[in-house]
Amino acid sequence: MLICSVTTNNHIPRAKVMAKSIKEHMPHAIVVLCVVEKKLDPSLWDFTPFDNLVLAKDLGLNHFNQFIFKYNRFEAANSLKAALLKYVMDQYKQEQTFVYLDTDIRLYAPLTEIPALFSNHDILFTPHTTIQASDASVPKFELPILRTGIFNAGFLALKNSKESRRFLDWWHKRLEHYCYKDIAEGLFFDQKWLNLALYFFNAGAITHPGYNVAYWNTANRKVSLKEESWRVNGEQLKFFHFSGAETGRLKSMVKKFSHDSMSQANLLKLKDRYMTELREMGQQNHKKTAWSYDFFASGEPIFDESRIAYRKNFASYQKKKKNPFKKSNRYFLK
C-alpha cells in the first residue's frame, strides 16, 4: 500500500505525525509527501518515515505557475490531490493500493479492510455521516453536509486500475479551475466533486465506524479506550481526522455534537495527546511560516484580490502565456 499527502511548510509537523503513525501501524507502507513550496524544508530530509518527497512543481503539471497562482495556500494544497495520486500511480506501478490522507489525520490501526472492499469498487470514499439525524437535528447535522459534500475528501483509497485513473483525470480537470469555496455556486474546494464521482465511476463508501472519525460524526460514534486500545462503537479506531485541533474548533464541536460524556472525555484526551505530538514535531517553529507562493518574484505580497481577478479572467491570461508571478498586484487590479 502507498499512502500520500500534500502539505505546505506551516503544516510539516502535522505531516510528520501522520507519517510516523503510518509507519507505526503499517511499517511496510510507502509514504510519499508532496510539498507545495519552492523548495523543501531541511527538517524533512532526515525524517525517515517519509519514503519519498516531491515538490508540487515537479508533479509534471503543464503551466504550473498559472495553475497555482489562482489559489491561496489552502486551496492550492487541495487542488493538487488528484495530481499527486496520478504522479504516485505512475512512479509506483507495482503498487496495487493507493491512499490519500490529509496531513491532520493520525492512524491508530492498520487499514486492513481496504483490499477486500476493492472486490466491488475501484475507488473508496468515507461519508461524513451514515446515521439519519432526528427531525429537530436536520439543520445542525444534515444541512451542512448538503452544503459541503456527502464525502470527506481528507481520505480516498484507489485500486491500481484504469477506472481509478479515469476518475483522477476527471477530478484533476475540475480541481484545476474549481477548487475554492463558493456555496452559492455549489463549490466547496475539492470535496463537492466526490458527490458526482460516486455515480460517474465505480466508487463506493467505507462505513466502518473507525474510518475518518472527526468532530462532525462524533454524535453517532462513541469513542472508548481500553488497555491503550482505542475503539469506536466497539470497533477498532483506524484513523482520526484532527480537523480544527489547533484552532480550538475540534474541542468546541466535540462538546456540541458528542452527547455521551465518557466518549466526549475520550475524544478530548485523544486530541490532547495529538497536540503533544505536534509540539514534539516542532509546531511552534512552523505554524507561522509564510507560503513561498504568496509573493511575486519582486517580493511583493500577492493580494487575494489579484488571485481572484486572475481566476475570473483565466482564459484571457492563459492566452498570453506569461508567468503571473512576474507581474504585480497593480497589473491585475488596474
Side-chain angles (χ1 to χ4, degrees), residues 125-140:
F125 306 135
T126 47
H128 280 106
T129 184
T130 58
I131 305 295
Q132 298 178 34
S134 65
D135 291 346
S137 299
V138 168
K140 184 165 67 172

Side-chain angles (χ1 to χ4, degrees), residues 171-184:
W171 198 32
H172 174 64
K173 290 176 182 177
R174 272 60 183 173
L175 299 186
E176 182 178 2
H177 300 291
Y178 305 106
C179 190
Y180 53 92
K181 180 180 177 180
D182 190 333
I183 299 297

Side-chain angles (χ1 to χ4, degrees), residues 31-48:
V31 181
V32 178
L33 182 69
C34 174
V35 184
V36 195
E37 301 285 353
K38 293 182 179 179
K39 60 182 180 180
L40 290 172
D41 185 281
S43 72
L44 291 170
W45 287 112
D46 299 326
F47 193 72
T48 56

Side-chain angles (χ1 to χ4, degrees), residues 35 37-39 55-61 64 293:
V35 184
E37 301 285 353
K38 293 182 179 179
K39 60 182 180 180
L55 289 170
K57 64 184 180 65
D58 296 326
L59 290 176
L61 298 177
F64 175 78
Y293 289 106

Side-chain angles (χ1 to χ4, degrees), residues 2-9 11-12 15 18 31-41 44 50-61 64 68 76-85 87-88 100-101 103 291 293:
L2 184 148
I3 302 176
C4 61
S5 190
V6 180
T7 192
T8 48
N9 280 347
H11 287 161
I12 283 176
M18 177 204 69
V31 181
V32 178
L33 182 69
C34 174
V35 184
V36 195
E37 301 285 353
K38 293 182 179 179
K39 60 182 180 180
L40 290 172
D41 185 281
L44 291 170
F50 294 123
D51 295 294
N52 194 4
L53 301 166
V54 59
L55 289 170
K57 64 184 180 65
D58 296 326
L59 290 176
L61 298 177
F64 175 78
I68 210 75
N78 285 309
S79 75
L80 292 165
K81 290 181 184 180
L84 173 59
L85 284 162
Y87 172 85
V88 294
Y100 174 85
L101 294 178
T103 56
W291 187 37
Y293 289 106

